Structures are given as C-alpha cells and as structure tokens.
Amino acid sequence: MTPLEKARQRAEIDARTNGCHLNPDISFLNDLLDGLVRNEERYGYPSCPCRLASGKFEFDRDIICPCDYRDPDVAEHGACYCGLYVRKDVFEGKTPLQPVPERRPPEKIERAYGTTAAPVERSVEKPDTGRKEPSDLKMRIYYCKQCGYVCYREEPPYICPICKAKREMFAELTI
Amino acid sequence: MTPLEKARQRAEIDARTNGCHLNPDISFLNDLLDGLVRNEERYGYPSCPCRLASGKFEFDRDIICPCDYRDPDVAEHGACYCGLYVRKDVFEGKTPLQPVPERRPPEKIERAYGTTAAPVERSVEKPDTGRKEPSDLKMRIYYCKQCGYVCYREEPPYICPICKAKREMFAELTI
Amino acid sequence: MTPLEKARQRAEIDARTNGCHLNPDISFLNDLLDGLVRNEERYGYPSCPCRLASGKFEFDRDIICPCDYRDPDVAEHGACYCGLYVRKDVFEGKTPLQPVPERRPPEKIERAYGTTAAPVERSVEKPDTGRKEPSDLKMRIYYCKQCGYVCYREEPPYICPICKAKREMFAELTI
C-alpha cells in the first residue's frame, strides 16, 4: 500500500468513526491527502494540508489532521477548513460546499509563528520576538461532565468525542 | 442553522459514531428533538425528552441525551427509552419498535426527586425530605480492563464506548 | 436474544463504530461468533476464536475480541487475524481476503503459555517454568499527544481509537 493509499484509508476510517464523510471530489481529495503525506514526511506528523505548520510539535498539535477544529467546523459549516471532511448533506450534494472561516484562535497562530497573520515563509526563518516556547504550555487533565471521557490536553476538545457534548461540558480533573 | 437542525445534526453524528440509527419516523423524531432543544433552553443541558429532569445537573447527568442507558437499551431492546435511537434492524423495519422498560435505577430516580415514582411536578416544588445533595456524589476514575479506556464518573458506563466491553470489565483506577 | 445474536450485535456495533465491517461470509462469520460465545462461557471473556487463551485474564487481555491487533491488521492487511472484521474494500469484494500474519508479539505469547509456539493443549496443563506471573505486569497511564485520549494499559494501543494516530504518538502520563 502506498503512502497515499494509507492516508486515504486512515481518513476513511476516521470519517466513518466520526460521523462525517470524505470530500466526494476525488481529484481534490487526492491533493489534500497528498499534502498530508508530504507534511508527515517533512514534520513527522500529518499536519493540516491547508495550514502552514511551524515544525514544532507542541505548537502544531491542534492542526494535526484530524485537527481540533474539524468536528465543530463540519457540524457548523458542513466541512472542515480544508474541505477534506464534509457533512453528510454536503457529501450527498444537497448542500453546496462553502468557504469555512478559520476557527484556530489567533493566539495559537501567533505563538506558532510569532505573528497573527499566517506567515508566507517558515517561522524558523524569522527573528524570535519573545513568543512562547513549548515549555510554557500548560497541559491539564479534563473530563466530560456528561459522559466522563478523560483527556490530557491544553484545552478541552470543542466536542466530546464520546458523547458529543460541547466544550463547556468539560471540567478540569484535579487528582 | 436552527436549534432543531443543530439537535438533529448532533443526534445524527452521535448515532453514526455509536452504531445505531435515528428513529425513521420523521414526525416522531422531530418531537423528540424539539424536546431536547426545550430542555437545553430550560436546564442548560439536553436532558432526555421522555424523562423529567430535576434541574440539578449532578442528579440529571445520567439522563442527558445520549443517556447512560441508551447503548444497553438499543442493544437489548432495539431502541432507547424514548425511541430516539434505534437498532439497525428496527431502523430497517425488520423488527417492530417495542416499549422499552426504564433502566434508570430507582435510587437515581429517588435522589433526583425524593421519590421512586417520577413526579408529576418539578421536584423543586416539593418539600425536601433528607434526600442526597449533589455533594454526596462520589466520582471515581474507572478504566476498562480490556481496552484501557479511562473515564471519571459515579459508576462505570454500561458498555465501554471504545471496545464495547460490559460494565463488569471496568475497575477503579487508584492513583 | 440468543448468545449468538448478542455476539453478532456487539460485533456489528463495534464494526460500525470503528470503521470496519463484519466478514460477509455468513457461515464463516457464525463460526467465529460461536467461538466467541464459547470462549466467553469458558473464560468469562470473549477471547479471540482463532487463538488459544491461557485462561489468565491479564495474559489474555490483548486477545479479547476486539483484540489489540484488530485495527492495525484491518488497516494493513484488510482483515483481522481471524477474518471476523474486514476492511471496506474486502467487504465489497474488491480485494480478496488474504491470510493475516500473527502480530501478537512473541513475548506475549510466551508469557501466556511459557513457549513462543502456540500450545496444542491448555497452558495450565503444562509445567510452570519460570514464566512471568500477572503481578509482574506494569500498567501505565498513556495519552495520545495528538488528541489527548487517556488510557490505562500495559502499552499504548497501536492506533488511537479517537484520532487514529499511530502508537508512536502516545506518551506516558505521569501524575
């Protein structure tokens, strides 16, 4: 199995297990999957093909595909930021694919690149101007107050992967 | 997207990711989804449209949709208590929808309302007769001995959301 | 519902929620499900119908169906070791079912039976030759560095059940 086939497989399984679909436009889909493969080769993880990774895992964690924003974007806008994953009605052609606004918070963009605007060049080529280092990141244990799902992250997920509760339903678990 | 459409979407995604289906009777389904929307407005969480919530989150946690009883009820009876979620054979019309007995334990009903019978009025309008306060609730960390899934709840889930092991497969994780 | 029907139901739900399919050969499938039912009766847990269980839960944990090896085997080989769960293209007849090599590590086989070769008789009937006792097992809390999924296991899963990241994406969570 080629890397591209592996990427498609992982994405297909992921879509099925998360109640969404892959973009039905095969050529468009292949371009995105190809971007995932290239990012995995370059960075060691399949970061979003439509966003520029910083190359620092801790800063890119939220944009590794499936990114943190996929589930709320598919639910609200019918597709993820890339258009790789789409909602059932979009998949079936009942709803047109719309541009999806960037949900990634400006502070996450800034700490990754040292600027709120997505950089045109790799951040490593820019002067370092006091932006946060990965060691500043505070990971916490969170649990879903509805179903009890436990995760260890900087922030709770937007949607609970188990019961689909909203982020507000998460609380910190202090042990 | 209207609140009703959002509720349907969440339910659809939830059904797909949990191996069940939404009730194929659209009118019946809409009534249930509408009940979820109204409960979310009233209580701040989408408690079961077929059960009366106490209004205290800690006491209602087990009946927030998808309720704790959905997965075992769909597996055993072909539908959840409401009939919102149904099993594949029921969805396809091969098995008729049957009444589903209440699986919620009497002690959970009692602590929520101060009586084992579902109240006809809101519990806040009844005299308080020594029933448990939320602070009495004991949350614990459990893990599935088969797959390792970790959750923080009063009791383990009936069915492991990851590997589908039974409740008996859970043990307390003491740290 | 008979035990066989219950086993099929659990397997169907499990397949749907994990992005794979049950073997379309009904007779073959029923033999496997029947093996699961018999193992559950014999050992108290539905260990793999194609592998011999030791009868000690801690040593058999990785081969309780769905076994630890199912997801990577379905992804890579198109089917689990038994052929109970298959990939979509195999289910649809586009790819033939191939023999699946044993992914279970030799050390796990050895500690269960005291030999790297699968025994022809139950291990309890063999002399005990210094092999590890369950108390030697070291369970740890792991988390997925991509999505934050937390689990308590001897080793991380091969594939994150939430975001499908590879095992390498897991790290130990020290509290």
Side-chain angles (χ1 to χ4, degrees), chain B:
Chain B
M1 208 182 291
T2 66
L4 186 65
E5 286 168 345
K6 278 191 187 171
R8 182 184 294 109
Q9 189 135 99
R10 176 185 160 169
E12 262 177 10
I13 288 175
D14 194 36
R16 280 197 78 198
T17 61
N18 283 284
C20 55
H21 295 262
L22 296 187
N23 195 306
D25 179 334
I26 298 297
S27 161
F28 182 75
L29 175 65
N30 280 343
D31 284 350
L32 291 171
L33 294 172
D34 196 52
L36 285 174
V37 170
R38 280 185 286 110
N39 283 350
E40 178 138 33
E41 286 168 1
R42 185 180 302 165
Y43 304 115
Y45 42 83
S47 58
C48 175
C50 301
R51 292 171 174 120
L52 190 60
S54 74
K56 291 188 181 176
F57 177 79
E58 289 78 3
F59 288 163
D60 294 339
R61 196 192 306 255
D62 61 316
I63 57 165
I64 299 177
C65 186
C67 72
D68 276 10
Y69 316 105
R70 194 229 3 219
D71 289 350
D73 280 343
V74 168
E76 184 175 342
H77 300 295
C80 71
Y81 185 61
C82 290
L84 173 54
Y85 293 98
V86 300
R87 214 169 49 200
K88 191 184 173 197
D89 51 313
V90 173
F91 178 77
E92 293 172 345
K94 293 176 184 166
T95 307
L97 191 63
Q98 303 280 354
V100 176
E102 175 59 287
R103 188 184 293 268
R104 194 183 193 196
E107 60 270 23
K108 293 212 172 175
I109 298 176
E110 199 202 351
R111 75 176 184 187
Y113 310 120
T115 167
T116 49
V120 288
E121 298 173 54
R122 288 285 304 282
S123 63
V124 291
E125 299 164 342
K126 306 188 64 188
D128 195 326
T129 52
R131 64 195 141 103
K132 280 189 186 172
E133 282 307 299
S135 62
D136 294 346
L137 303 181
K138 178 71 181 142
M139 302 280 283
R140 291 182 177 86
I141 302 177
Y142 293 99
Y143 74 101
C144 172
K145 291 193 289 179
Q146 178 172 337
C147 74
Y149 173 70
V150 170
C151 55
Y152 182 63
R153 294 166 54 97
E154 273 194 277
E155 291 165 304
Y158 284 87
I159 295 175
C160 174
I162 301 298
C163 75
K164 316 304 168 199
K166 294 179 203 159
R167 170 173 276 188
E168 295 72 40
M169 203 55 101
F170 279 83
E172 191 174 346
L173 174 55
T174 47
I175 298 175

Side-chain angles (χ1 to χ4, degrees), chain A residues 25-55:
Chain A
D25 179 336
I26 298 298
S27 162
F28 182 76
L29 176 65
N30 279 345
D31 284 351
L32 291 171
L33 293 172
D34 196 54
L36 285 174
V37 169
R38 280 185 287 109
N39 283 350
E40 178 139 32
E41 287 168 1
R42 185 181 300 165
Y43 304 114
Y45 41 84
S47 58
C48 175
C50 302
R51 292 172 175 117
L52 190 61
S54 74

Side-chain angles (χ1 to χ4, degrees), chain A residues 32-130:
Chain A
L32 291 171
L33 293 172
D34 196 54
L36 285 174
V37 169
R38 280 185 287 109
N39 283 350
E40 178 139 32
E41 287 168 1
R42 185 181 300 165
Y43 304 114
Y45 41 84
S47 58
C48 175
C50 302
R51 292 172 175 117
L52 190 61
S54 74
K56 291 189 181 175
F57 176 79
E58 287 78 3
F59 288 163
D60 294 339
R61 195 193 308 253
D62 61 316
I63 59 165
I64 299 177
C65 186
C67 73
D68 277 9
Y69 315 106
R70 194 229 3 220
D71 290 350
D73 279 344
V74 168
E76 185 175 341
H77 300 295
C80 71
Y81 184 62
C82 291
L84 173 54
Y85 293 98
V86 300
R87 212 169 49 201
K88 192 185 172 198
D89 51 313
V90 173
F91 178 76
E92 292 171 348
K94 294 177 184 167
T95 307
L97 191 61
Q98 304 280 354
V100 175
E102 174 60 288
R103 187 185 293 267
R104 195 182 193 199
E107 60 269 22
K108 294 213 170 174
I109 297 176
E110 198 201 355
R111 74 176 186 189
Y113 310 119
T115 168
T116 50
V120 290
E121 298 174 55
R122 288 285 305 284
S123 63
V124 292
E125 299 165 344
K126 307 187 62 185
D128 195 326
T129 52

